[in-house]
C-alpha cells in the first residue's frame, strides 16, 4: 500500500531538470548546439540523474593528480568555455603525471589555460609555471589556483594575461615547455596563436599540444604549425578521443631562409 508518506519521500528524491540537448554530450558551443525555429536552444524535460548532467555545468569537478585531490571550480554561466575542464586538459594532466621528467624543474607556460588545471598539475610536478589566458578569466583562474595550491607555499606558479592577438610580443622565448589543451578551435585566431607559439619557443622548447579533432579547419592549423615546428603524435586516448602532439621549433640556417 502506498501511503502519503511514501509519496512525499519519493517527491523529495525525484526532481525534474531541463537540460540542453546537444549533438555533443560534453559540450554546447555555437557550432554544436541545435536551435529550434525561434532561435532557442532545444530542450527536453527528463528525470534528474547526476549522470545526465553535463560535466561542464557542474559547479565543480574533483580530480586526483600527483597524490592530491584537486577541486576545480567551474563557471559556465559566467565565462563559458573558459571556466570548465575539457577532456584534452584531463588527458594532458594524466600524460604529464606519467612523464614528469617533461616538466620537473622546467620553465613552463600554458596557453589558453581555461580552468588552469594543466598548469596546476605541471607546478605540482616541479615545474616553474606561468598560466595564461584572457584578462576576463584571470580572477577565476587565480581563485582555482589559490584554492588548490594554498597548502603548497613552495609551488612556483603565476597567472598572467595573454591575448594572442596583441600580447604575444610581451613574452620572450624563455620557456622550456609550452602547454596547450584544446586551444585549436577559432580559425580567426590561428595566425595569432601561431605567432604566440613562435614568440614563446626557442630551439630547445618542447610544445605539448593536447587536442580533440572536431572540425576540418583544425587540421588546417596543424599544417600551419608544421611549417615552423616538427609535430609528432605521441599519445592517443581512445576513450576521450584526445591526441597529444609533441612539437619543436624547426631551426633553419641562413641558406635555408634564402
Amino acid at each position: 500500500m502506498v501511503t502519503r508518506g511514501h509519496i512525499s519521500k519519493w517527491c523529495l528524491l525525484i526532481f525534474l531538470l531541463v537540460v540542453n540537448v546537444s549533438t555533443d554530450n560534453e559540450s554546447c558551443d555555437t557550432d554544436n548546439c541545435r536551435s529550434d525555429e525561434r532561435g532557442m536552444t532545444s530542450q527536453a524535460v527528463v528525470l534528474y540523474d547526476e549522470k545526465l548532467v553535463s560535466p561542464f555545468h557542474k559547479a565543480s569537478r574533483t580530480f586526483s593528480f600527483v597524490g592530491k585531490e584537486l577541486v576545480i571550480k567551474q563557471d559556465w554561466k559566467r565565462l563559458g568555455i573558459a571556466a570548465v575542464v575539457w577532456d584534452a586538459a584531463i588527458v594532458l594532466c594524466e600524460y604529464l603525471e606519467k612523464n614528469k621528467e617533461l616538466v620537473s624543474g622546467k620553465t613552463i607556460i600554458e596557453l589558453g589555460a581555461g580552468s588552469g588545471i594543466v598548469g596546476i598539475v605541471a607546478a605540482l610536478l616541479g615545474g616553474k609555471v606561468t598560466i595564461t589566458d584572457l584578462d576576463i578569466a584571470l580572477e577565476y583562474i587565480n581563485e582555482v589556483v589559490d584554492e588548490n595550491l594554498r597548502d603548497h607555499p613552495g609551488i612556483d606558479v603565476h597567472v598572467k594575461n595573454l591575448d594572442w592577438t596583441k600580447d604575444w610580443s610581451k613574452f620572450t622565448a624563455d620557456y622550456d615547455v609550452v602547454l596547450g589543451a584544446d586551444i585549436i578551435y577559432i580559425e580567426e585566431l590561428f595566425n595569432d596563436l601561431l605567432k604566440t607559439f613562435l614568440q614563446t619557443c626557442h630551439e630547445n622548447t618542447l610544445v605539448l599540444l593536447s587536442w580533440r579533432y572536431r572540425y576540418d579547419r583544425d587540421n588546417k592549423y596543424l599544417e600551419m604549425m608544421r611549417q615552423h615546428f616538427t609535430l609528432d603524435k605521441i599519445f592517443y586516448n581512445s576513450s576521450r578521443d584526445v591526441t597529444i602532439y609533441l612539437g619543436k621549433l624547426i631551426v633553419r640556417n641562413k641558406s635555408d631562409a634564402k
Side-chain angles (χ1 to χ4, degrees):
M1 176 178 178
V2 179
T3 66
R4 181 175 298 177
H6 284 103
I7 294 175
S8 298
K9 180 180 179 181
W10 284 109
C11 286
L12 290 173
L13 294 175
I14 299 177
F15 297 90
L16 292 178
L17 176 71
V18 177
V19 296
N20 290 331
V21 178
S22 169
T23 56
D24 181 343
N25 65 356
E26 292 186 345
S27 63
C28 184
D29 57 29
T30 54
D31 286 322
N32 286 337
C33 285
R34 293 186 299 176
S35 299
D36 60 22
E37 295 178 353
R38 296 166 297 174
M40 300 292 289
T41 301
S42 300
Q43 296 180 328
V45 178
V46 298
L47 290 177
Y48 178 82
D49 184 339
E50 178 73 11
K51 295 179 181 178
L52 296 178
V53 179
S54 166
F56 298 145
H57 295 284
K58 294 179 180 179
S60 66
R61 296 174 68 185
T62 302
F63 304 90
S64 179
F65 289 111
V66 201
K68 178 178 173 58
E69 183 179 89
L70 300 179
V71 180
I72 308 299
K73 170 186 173 184
Q74 298 190 134
D75 197 348
W76 176 274
K77 288 185 178 181
R78 185 166 67 93
L79 295 173
I81 62 174
V84 295
V85 181
W86 295 91
D87 278 352
I90 298 171
V91 172
L92 185 52
C93 287
E94 293 171 344
Y95 187 82
L96 293 178
E97 187 173 36
K98 293 177 180 178
N99 300 274
K100 63 181 181 180
E101 71 280 357
L102 292 172
V103 291
S104 181
K106 304 296 178 61
T107 302
I108 300 161
I109 185 170
E110 182 186 3
L111 306 181
S115 69
I117 188 172
V118 175
I120 290 172
V121 169
L124 287 170
L125 289 168
K128 301 175 182 180
V129 182
T130 299
I131 298 174
T132 68
D133 209 315
L134 295 173
D135 185 65
I136 192 174
L138 297 193
E139 181 180 355
Y140 159 72
I141 297 173
N142 273 303
E143 288 177 4
V144 174
V145 170
D146 181 63
E147 289 171 0
N148 287 280
L149 297 181
R150 62 174 56 142
D151 296 330
H152 298 266
I155 293 292
D156 192 343
V157 59
H158 304 276
V159 178
K160 293 185 179 181
N161 175 54
L162 175 48
D163 181 336
W164 304 335
T165 66
K166 59 184 179 182
D167 294 327
W168 52 268
S169 60
K170 299 177 183 178
F171 291 76
T172 56
D174 295 329
Y175 301 99
D176 300 315
V177 182
V178 179
L179 303 173
D182 246 347
I183 57 176
I184 304 173
Y185 54 91
I186 301 177
E187 187 170 7
E188 290 75 17
L189 295 178
F190 282 179
N191 283 321
D192 299 308
L193 177 56
L194 181 57
K195 287 179 182 178
T196 303
F197 272 114
L198 291 171
Q199 183 70 16
T200 53
C201 293
H202 55 71
E203 62 183 51
N204 294 316
T205 300
L206 297 181
V207 174
L208 287 168
L209 192 60
S210 183
W211 167 75
R212 172 187 287 170
Y213 174 84
R214 292 184 177 88
Y215 312 106
D216 289 341
R217 63 176 181 260
D218 298 353
N219 283 321
K220 176 182 177 181
Y221 180 74
L222 294 181
E223 290 308 310
M224 290 172 61
M225 281 281 289
R226 287 191 172 99
Q227 294 178 27
H228 302 274
F229 294 83
T230 61
L231 206 57
D232 300 312
K233 183 188 294 187
I234 59 172
F235 182 76
Y236 176 67
N237 183 299
S238 57
S239 64
R240 297 184 185 274
D241 190 25
V242 170
T243 301
I244 296 179
Y245 288 92
L246 176 65
K248 199 169 182 180
L249 189 66
I250 298 172
V251 180
R252 295 183 172 88
N253 57 41
K254 292 183 180 180
S255 61
D256 290 336
K258 293 178 182 180

